Amino acid sequence: AIAQEDEEDVADSLGGEPRCRFCGVPLSSASSHDGLCANLQRNGLLRTVAAAAAYGAVDRADFAPEDFDAYADAALPLGAGAQLSAPHVHARALDLLAERLDSDPGPRAVRALDLGAGSGCMSAMLGRLLHSRGTVLAVEHINELADQARQNIAKQHGDLLMRDGPLELRCGDGLDMANQFEHAGAFDLVHCGAAFAQAEPWFVALLRPGGRAVVPLGPT
């Protein structure tokens, strides 16, 4: 199943309240990590205990580029055409993925894939979400971003990257992975932060039957 995630760019103001111009969600900007989490929940996001805990465990300031407001509910540039998604976009993605986990509480280990790891922020959240349930493979095709993501995660979440930790981060390409036997149909959860014009067959091919993929769908 493909779950659509709304892509944020610039906010419009409706009735005096700043909202995402794409999805209409009220923006949750704050002056602190705790304030951001509280605002997201007040605006109807982070609906499950698991999603709220995973988001709350990862401070966006560890992943935001310098000279930008880490707690603004807006996408931030990372360079090389990549960006750190807006907080409400990450929160919505976590909600959708956590809902799928809640619907399948069985003992089998869950495998998740984060395509386009970027700064490593969502990868760390997924690592926290699945810490006792399975593993996360985070893939970034730009070497410099992959190295920076690893450094960002190591600031507060080095345990995720340890040999027995749930998170592996590597430099690679999602399209190539879909053509590799070991990865085709191998993942219960797939997240991609980059927008697709429509659901791509190669992307869906990474999912196990009954799995869930979360990706922004819309103009790219």
Coordinates of all heavy atoms in Angstrom, one line a residue, residues 10-86:
V10 N 6.0 26.2 1.2 CA 5.8 27.6 1.7 C 4.4 27.7 2.3 O 3.5 27.0 1.9 CB 5.8 28.6 0.5 CG1 5.6 30.0 1.0 CG2 7.2 28.6 -0.1
A11 N 4.3 28.4 3.4 CA 3.0 28.5 4.2 C 2.2 29.6 3.6 O 2.6 30.7 3.3 CB 3.3 28.7 5.6
D12 N 0.9 29.3 3.6 CA -0.1 30.4 3.4 C -0.8 30.6 4.7 O -0.8 29.8 5.6 CB -1.2 29.9 2.4 CG -0.6 29.9 0.9 OD1 0.3 30.6 0.7 OD2 -1.2 29.1 0.1
S13 N -1.4 31.8 4.8 CA -2.1 32.1 6.1 C -3.6 32.1 5.8 O -4.1 32.9 5.0 CB -1.6 33.5 6.6 OG -2.3 33.9 7.8
L14 N -4.3 31.3 6.5 CA -5.7 31.2 6.4 C -6.3 31.6 7.7 O -6.1 30.9 8.7 CB -6.2 29.8 6.0 CG -5.6 29.3 4.6 CD1 -6.1 27.8 4.4 CD2 -6.1 30.1 3.5
G15 N -7.1 32.7 7.8 CA -7.7 33.1 9.0 C -6.6 33.4 10.1 O -6.9 33.3 11.3
G16 N -5.5 33.9 9.6 CA -4.4 34.4 10.5 C -3.6 33.2 11.1 O -2.6 33.5 11.7
E17 N -3.9 32.0 10.7 CA -3.1 30.8 11.2 C -2.2 30.3 10.0 O -2.7 29.9 9.0 CB -4.0 29.7 11.7 CG -3.3 28.5 12.3 CD -4.2 27.5 12.8 OE1 -5.3 27.3 12.1 OE2 -4.0 26.9 13.9
P18 N -0.9 30.3 10.2 CA 0.0 29.8 9.1 C -0.3 28.3 8.9 O -0.3 27.5 9.8 CB 1.4 30.0 9.7 CG 1.3 31.0 10.8 CD -0.1 30.8 11.4
R19 N -0.4 28.0 7.6 CA -0.7 26.6 7.2 C 0.2 26.3 6.0 O 0.6 27.1 5.2 CB -2.2 26.5 6.8 CG -3.1 26.6 8.0 CD -4.6 26.5 7.5 NE -5.5 26.6 8.6 CZ -6.0 25.5 9.2 NH1 -5.7 24.3 8.7 NH2 -6.9 25.6 10.2
C20 N 0.4 25.0 5.9 CA 1.1 24.5 4.7 C 0.3 24.7 3.4 O -0.9 24.4 3.4 CB 1.4 23.0 4.9 SG 2.1 22.2 3.4
R21 N 0.9 25.3 2.4 CA 0.2 25.6 1.2 C -0.2 24.4 0.4 O -1.1 24.4 -0.5 CB 0.9 26.6 0.3 CG 2.1 25.9 -0.4 CD 2.7 26.9 -1.4 NE 3.8 26.3 -2.2 CZ 4.3 26.9 -3.2 NH1 4.0 28.1 -3.6 NH2 5.3 26.3 -3.9
F22 N 0.4 23.2 0.7 CA 0.1 22.0 -0.1 C -1.0 21.2 0.6 O -1.9 20.8 0.0 CB 1.3 21.1 -0.2 CG 2.3 21.7 -1.1 CD1 3.5 22.3 -0.7 CD2 2.2 21.6 -2.5 CE1 4.4 22.9 -1.5 CE2 3.1 22.2 -3.4 CZ 4.3 22.8 -2.9
C23 N -0.9 21.0 1.9 CA -1.8 20.1 2.6 C -2.8 20.8 3.6 O -3.7 20.2 4.1 CB -1.1 19.0 3.4 SG 0.0 19.7 4.7
G24 N -2.5 22.1 3.8 CA -3.4 22.9 4.7 C -3.3 22.6 6.2 O -4.0 23.1 7.0
V25 N -2.3 21.8 6.6 CA -2.1 21.5 8.0 C -1.5 22.8 8.7 O -0.6 23.4 8.1 CB -1.0 20.4 8.1 CG1 -0.6 20.2 9.6 CG2 -1.6 19.1 7.6
P26 N -2.0 23.1 9.9 CA -1.5 24.2 10.6 C 0.0 24.0 10.9 O 0.4 22.9 11.3 CB -2.3 24.3 11.9 CG -3.5 23.6 11.6 CD -3.2 22.5 10.6
L27 N 0.8 25.0 10.7 CA 2.3 24.8 11.0 C 2.5 24.8 12.5 O 1.8 25.5 13.3 CB 3.1 25.9 10.3 CG 2.9 25.9 8.8 CD1 3.9 26.9 8.1 CD2 3.2 24.5 8.2
S28 N 3.6 24.1 12.9 CA 3.8 23.9 14.3 C 5.1 24.5 14.8 O 5.7 24.0 15.8 CB 3.8 22.3 14.6 OG 2.6 21.8 14.2
S29 N 5.6 25.5 14.2 CA 6.9 26.1 14.6 C 6.9 26.4 16.1 O 5.9 26.8 16.7 CB 7.1 27.4 13.8 OG 7.1 27.1 12.4
A30 N 8.1 26.3 16.6 CA 8.3 26.6 18.1 C 9.7 27.1 18.3 O 10.5 27.2 17.4 CB 8.0 25.3 18.9
S31 N 10.0 27.3 19.6 CA 11.3 27.8 19.9 C 12.2 26.7 20.6 O 13.3 27.0 21.0 CB 11.2 29.0 20.9 OG 10.5 28.6 22.1
S32 N 11.6 25.5 20.7 CA 12.3 24.4 21.3 C 11.8 23.1 20.8 O 10.8 23.0 20.2 CB 12.2 24.5 22.9 OG 10.8 24.1 23.2
H33 N 12.6 22.0 21.1 CA 12.2 20.7 20.6 C 10.9 20.3 21.3 O 9.9 19.8 20.7 CB 13.3 19.7 20.9 CG 12.9 18.3 20.7 ND1 12.6 17.8 19.4 CD2 12.8 17.2 21.5 CE1 12.3 16.5 19.4 NE2 12.4 16.1 20.7
D34 N 10.8 20.5 22.6 CA 9.6 20.1 23.3 C 8.4 20.9 22.8 O 7.3 20.3 22.7 CB 9.8 20.3 24.8 CG 10.7 19.3 25.5 OD1 11.0 18.3 24.8 OD2 11.2 19.6 26.6
G35 N 8.6 22.2 22.6 CA 7.5 23.0 22.1 C 7.1 22.5 20.7 O 5.9 22.5 20.4
L36 N 8.0 22.1 19.8 CA 7.6 21.6 18.5 C 6.8 20.4 18.6 O 5.8 20.2 17.9 CB 8.9 21.4 17.7 CG 8.8 20.8 16.3 CD1 8.0 21.7 15.4 CD2 10.1 20.5 15.7
C37 N 7.2 19.4 19.5 CA 6.5 18.2 19.7 C 5.1 18.5 20.2 O 4.1 17.9 19.7 CB 7.2 17.3 20.6 SG 8.8 16.7 20.0
A38 N 4.9 19.4 21.1 CA 3.6 19.7 21.7 C 2.7 20.4 20.6 O 1.6 20.0 20.5 CB 3.8 20.7 22.9
N39 N 3.3 21.2 19.8 CA 2.5 21.9 18.8 C 2.1 20.9 17.7 O 0.9 21.0 17.2 CB 3.3 23.0 18.1 CG 3.5 24.2 19.0 OD1 2.8 24.3 20.0 ND2 4.4 25.1 18.7
L40 N 2.9 20.0 17.3 CA 2.5 18.9 16.3 C 1.4 18.1 16.9 O 0.4 17.8 16.1 CB 3.7 18.0 16.0 CG 4.9 18.7 15.2 CD1 6.1 17.8 15.2 CD2 4.4 18.8 13.7
Q41 N 1.4 17.7 18.1 CA 0.3 16.9 18.7 C -0.9 17.8 18.8 O -2.0 17.3 18.5 CB 0.7 16.4 20.1 CG 1.8 15.3 20.0 CD 2.1 14.7 21.3 OE1 2.7 15.3 22.1 NE2 1.7 13.4 21.5
R42 N -0.8 19.0 19.2 CA -2.0 19.9 19.2 C -2.6 20.1 17.9 O -3.9 20.2 17.8 CB -1.6 21.3 19.8 CG -2.8 22.2 20.1 CD -2.4 23.6 20.5 NE -1.8 24.3 19.4 CZ -0.6 24.8 19.3 NH1 0.2 24.6 20.3 NH2 -0.1 25.5 18.3
N43 N -1.8 20.0 16.8 CA -2.4 20.1 15.5 C -2.7 18.8 14.8 O -2.9 18.7 13.6 CB -1.3 20.8 14.6 CG -1.2 22.3 14.9 OD1 -2.2 22.9 15.3 ND2 0.0 22.9 14.8
G44 N -2.9 17.8 15.6 CA -3.4 16.5 15.2 C -2.5 15.5 14.6 O -2.8 14.5 14.0
L45 N -1.2 15.7 14.9 CA -0.1 14.8 14.4 C 0.5 14.1 15.6 O 0.2 14.3 16.7 CB 0.9 15.6 13.6 CG 0.4 16.2 12.4 CD1 1.5 17.2 11.8 CD2 0.1 15.2 11.3
L46 N 1.4 13.1 15.3 CA 2.0 12.2 16.3 C 0.8 11.6 17.2 O 0.8 11.7 18.4 CB 2.9 13.0 17.2 CG 4.1 13.7 16.4 CD1 5.0 14.5 17.4 CD2 4.9 12.7 15.6
R47 N -0.1 10.9 16.4 CA -1.3 10.4 17.1 C -1.1 9.2 17.9 O -2.0 8.9 18.7 CB -2.4 10.2 16.0 CG -2.8 11.4 15.2 CD -3.9 11.1 14.3 NE -3.5 10.1 13.3 CZ -3.4 10.4 12.0 NH1 -3.6 11.6 11.6 NH2 -3.0 9.4 11.2
T48 N -0.1 8.4 17.6 CA 0.1 7.2 18.4 C 1.3 7.4 19.4 O 2.1 8.2 19.2 CB 0.5 6.0 17.4 OG1 1.8 6.2 16.9 CG2 -0.5 5.9 16.3
V49 N 1.2 6.6 20.4 CA 2.3 6.6 21.4 C 3.6 6.4 20.8 O 4.6 7.0 21.1 CB 2.0 5.6 22.6 CG1 3.1 5.5 23.5 CG2 0.7 6.0 23.3
A50 N 3.7 5.4 19.9 CA 5.0 5.0 19.3 C 5.5 6.1 18.4 O 6.7 6.5 18.5 CB 4.8 3.8 18.4
A51 N 4.7 6.8 17.6 CA 5.1 7.9 16.8 C 5.6 9.1 17.6 O 6.6 9.7 17.4 CB 4.0 8.3 15.8
A52 N 4.8 9.4 18.7 CA 5.2 10.5 19.5 C 6.5 10.3 20.2 O 7.3 11.2 20.4 CB 4.1 10.8 20.5
A53 N 6.7 9.0 20.7 CA 7.9 8.7 21.4 C 9.2 8.8 20.5 O 10.2 9.3 20.8 CB 7.8 7.3 22.0
A54 N 9.0 8.3 19.3 CA 10.1 8.3 18.3 C 10.5 9.7 17.9 O 11.6 10.1 17.8 CB 9.7 7.4 17.1
Y55 N 9.4 10.5 17.6 CA 9.7 11.9 17.3 C 10.3 12.7 18.4 O 11.3 13.4 18.3 CB 8.4 12.6 16.8 CG 8.7 13.9 16.0 CD1 8.6 13.8 14.6 CD2 9.0 15.0 16.7 CE1 8.9 15.0 13.9 CE2 9.3 16.2 15.9 CZ 9.2 16.2 14.6 OH 9.5 17.3 13.8
G56 N 9.8 12.4 19.6 CA 10.3 13.1 20.8 C 11.7 12.8 21.2 O 12.4 13.6 21.8
A57 N 12.2 11.6 20.8 CA 13.5 11.2 21.1 C 14.6 11.8 20.2 O 15.8 11.7 20.6 CB 13.6 9.7 21.0
V58 N 14.2 12.4 19.1 CA 15.2 12.9 18.1 C 15.0 14.4 18.0 O 14.0 14.9 17.5 CB 15.0 12.2 16.8 CG1 15.9 12.7 15.7 CG2 15.1 10.7 16.9
D59 N 16.0 15.1 18.4 CA 16.0 16.6 18.4 C 16.4 17.1 17.0 O 17.5 16.8 16.5 CB 16.9 17.2 19.4 CG 16.7 18.7 19.7 OD1 16.4 19.4 18.7 OD2 16.9 19.1 20.8
R60 N 15.6 17.8 16.3 CA 15.8 18.2 14.9 C 17.1 19.1 14.8 O 17.7 19.2 13.8 CB 14.6 19.0 14.4 CG 14.6 19.2 12.9 CD 13.2 19.6 12.4 NE 13.1 19.7 11.0 CZ 13.0 20.8 10.3 NH1 13.1 22.0 10.9 NH2 12.9 20.8 9.0
A61 N 17.4 19.8 16.0 CA 18.6 20.7 15.9 C 19.9 19.9 15.6 O 20.8 20.5 15.2 CB 18.7 21.4 17.3
D62 N 19.9 18.6 15.9 CA 21.1 17.9 15.6 C 21.2 17.6 14.1 O 22.3 17.1 13.7 CB 21.1 16.5 16.4 CG 21.2 16.7 17.9 OD1 21.9 17.6 18.3 OD2 20.6 15.9 18.7
F63 N 20.2 17.9 13.4 CA 20.2 17.5 12.0 C 20.0 18.7 11.0 O 20.2 18.6 9.8 CB 19.1 16.5 11.7 CG 19.2 15.2 12.5 CD1 18.7 15.2 13.8 CD2 19.9 14.1 12.0 CE1 18.9 14.0 14.6 CE2 20.1 13.0 12.8 CZ 19.5 12.9 14.1
A64 N 19.7 19.8 11.6 CA 19.4 21.0 10.7 C 20.7 21.7 10.4 O 21.7 21.7 11.2 CB 18.5 22.0 11.5
P65 N 20.8 22.3 9.2 CA 22.0 23.0 8.8 C 22.2 24.3 9.6 O 21.2 24.8 10.1 CB 21.8 23.4 7.3 CG 20.3 23.3 7.2 CD 19.8 22.3 8.1
E66 N 23.4 24.7 9.8 CA 23.7 25.9 10.6 C 23.0 27.1 9.9 O 22.8 27.1 8.7 CB 25.2 26.1 10.7 CG 26.0 25.0 11.5 CD 27.4 25.3 11.6 OE1 27.9 26.4 11.1 OE2 28.2 24.5 12.1
D67 N 22.8 28.1 10.8 CA 22.2 29.3 10.3 C 20.7 29.2 9.9 O 20.2 30.1 9.3 CB 23.0 30.0 9.2 CG 24.4 30.2 9.6 OD1 24.7 30.6 10.8 OD2 25.3 30.0 8.7
F68 N 20.1 28.1 10.2 CA 18.6 28.0 10.0 C 18.0 27.6 11.3 O 18.5 27.0 12.2 CB 18.4 26.9 9.0 CG 18.7 27.3 7.5 CD1 20.0 27.0 7.0 CD2 17.7 27.9 6.7 CE1 20.3 27.4 5.7 CE2 18.0 28.3 5.4 CZ 19.3 28.0 4.9
D69 N 16.7 28.0 11.4 CA 15.9 27.7 12.6 C 15.4 26.3 12.6 O 14.6 25.9 11.8 CB 14.7 28.6 12.7 CG 13.9 28.5 13.9 OD1 14.2 27.6 14.7 OD2 12.9 29.3 14.1
A70 N 16.0 25.4 13.5 CA 15.7 24.0 13.5 C 14.3 23.7 13.8 O 13.7 22.7 13.4 CB 16.6 23.3 14.5
Y71 N 13.6 24.6 14.6 CA 12.3 24.3 15.0 C 11.2 25.1 14.3 O 10.0 25.1 14.6 CB 12.2 24.7 16.5 CG 13.2 24.0 17.3 CD1 14.2 24.7 18.1 CD2 13.3 22.6 17.3 CE1 15.2 24.0 18.8 CE2 14.3 21.9 18.0 CZ 15.2 22.6 18.8 OH 16.2 22.0 19.5
A72 N 11.6 25.7 13.1 CA 10.6 26.2 12.2 C 9.9 25.1 11.4 O 10.6 24.1 11.0 CB 11.2 27.2 11.3
D73 N 8.6 25.1 11.3 CA 8.0 24.0 10.6 C 8.0 24.3 9.1 O 7.1 24.7 8.4 CB 6.5 23.9 11.0 CG 5.9 22.6 10.6 OD1 6.5 21.8 9.9 OD2 4.7 22.3 11.0
A74 N 9.3 24.1 8.6 CA 9.6 24.4 7.1 C 10.7 23.5 6.7 O 11.5 23.0 7.5 CB 9.9 25.8 6.9
A75 N 10.7 23.2 5.4 CA 11.8 22.4 4.9 C 13.1 23.3 4.9 O 13.0 24.5 4.7 CB 11.5 22.0 3.4
L76 N 14.2 22.6 5.1 CA 15.5 23.3 5.1 C 16.5 22.7 4.1 O 16.6 21.5 4.0 CB 16.1 23.2 6.6 CG 15.3 23.8 7.7 CD1 16.0 23.6 9.0 CD2 14.9 25.2 7.5
P77 N 17.3 23.6 3.4 CA 18.2 23.1 2.4 C 19.4 22.4 3.0 O 20.0 22.9 4.0 CB 18.6 24.3 1.6 CG 18.5 25.4 2.7 CD 17.3 25.1 3.5
L78 N 19.8 21.3 2.4 CA 21.0 20.5 2.8 C 22.1 20.7 1.8 O 23.2 20.2 2.1 CB 20.6 19.1 3.0 CG 19.6 18.7 4.1 CD1 19.3 17.2 4.1 CD2 20.1 19.1 5.5
G79 N 21.8 21.2 0.7 CA 22.8 21.3 -0.4 C 22.6 20.1 -1.3 O 22.0 19.1 -1.0
A80 N 23.2 20.2 -2.5 CA 23.2 19.1 -3.5 C 21.8 18.8 -3.9 O 21.4 17.7 -4.3 CB 23.9 17.8 -3.0
G81 N 20.9 19.8 -3.8 CA 19.5 19.6 -4.2 C 18.6 18.9 -3.2 O 17.4 18.6 -3.5
A82 N 19.2 18.6 -2.0 CA 18.4 17.8 -1.0 C 17.9 18.8 0.0 O 18.4 19.9 0.2 CB 19.4 16.8 -0.4
Q83 N 17.0 18.3 0.8 CA 16.4 19.1 1.9 C 16.0 18.3 3.1 O 15.8 17.1 2.9 CB 15.3 20.0 1.4 CG 14.0 19.2 1.0 CD 12.9 20.1 0.5 OE1 13.1 21.2 0.2 NE2 11.7 19.5 0.5
L84 N 16.0 18.9 4.2 CA 15.4 18.3 5.4 C 13.9 18.6 5.4 O 13.6 19.8 5.4 CB 16.1 18.9 6.7 CG 15.5 18.5 8.1 CD1 15.5 17.0 8.3 CD2 16.3 19.2 9.1
S85 N 13.1 17.6 5.4 CA 11.6 17.8 5.3 C 11.1 18.6 6.5 O 11.7 18.6 7.6 CB 10.9 16.5 5.2 OG 11.2 15.8 4.0
A86 N 10.0 19.3 6.3 CA 9.4 20.0 7.4 C 9.0 19.1 8.5 O 8.6 17.9 8.3 CB 8.2 20.8 6.9

